[in-house]
Amino acid sequence: MSKKDENTEERQIVGFVGVGLDNEDEHKRITRTEEFLLLGGSEETHERMQDAAIRFRESLDKRGKQLKETSVEEALALLHKAMNK
């Protein structure tokens, strides 16, 4: 495969990483789903990341899709919507 062919391949999102940086209680918070790896954060921040991950998954379910079947643009739009509810 030439470099030109590689550049024309369709982009795909395989997952998201969420990192919370406001943890002061030294508790290690990690949540893993099919689409997300969520690390750190205060209890409140980690919970907000979890809520967004759940809303994102629900949006995919409503469309009858998996993340790998979703275009980059659609996945980012769903993530933005999930984070702003």
Side-chain angles (χ1 to χ4, degrees), residues 10-54:
E10 189 172 326
R11 298 178 300 160
Q12 181 182 23
I13 294 177
V14 295
F16 295 99
V17 177
V19 180
L21 302 175
D22 64 339
N23 182 2
E24 294 182 8
D25 65 5
E26 296 186 29
H27 187 82
K28 307 236 184 308
R29 294 176 177 89
I30 300 171
T31 301
R32 185 176 179 165
T33 69
E34 191 173 324
E35 297 87 14
F36 288 87
L37 175 59
L38 307 175
L39 304 168
S42 65
E43 184 176 354
E44 179 183 349
T45 296
H46 199 83
E47 187 175 304
R48 284 196 328 257
M49 291 191 297
Q50 288 173 323
D51 289 343
I54 290 166

Side-chain angles (χ1 to χ4, degrees), residues 10-15 34-35 56-57 60 65-72 75:
E10 189 172 326
R11 298 178 300 160
Q12 181 182 23
I13 294 177
V14 295
E34 191 173 324
E35 297 87 14
F56 182 86
R57 177 74 249 167
L60 285 179
K65 292 184 173 183
Q66 296 294 317
L67 181 57
K68 64 183 176 183
E69 302 166 336
T70 307
S71 71
V72 171

Side-chain angles (χ1 to χ4, degrees), residues 1-7:
M1 183 180 294
S2 72
K3 277 198 177 262
K4 185 177 181 180
D5 291 337
E6 289 176 16
N7 291 336

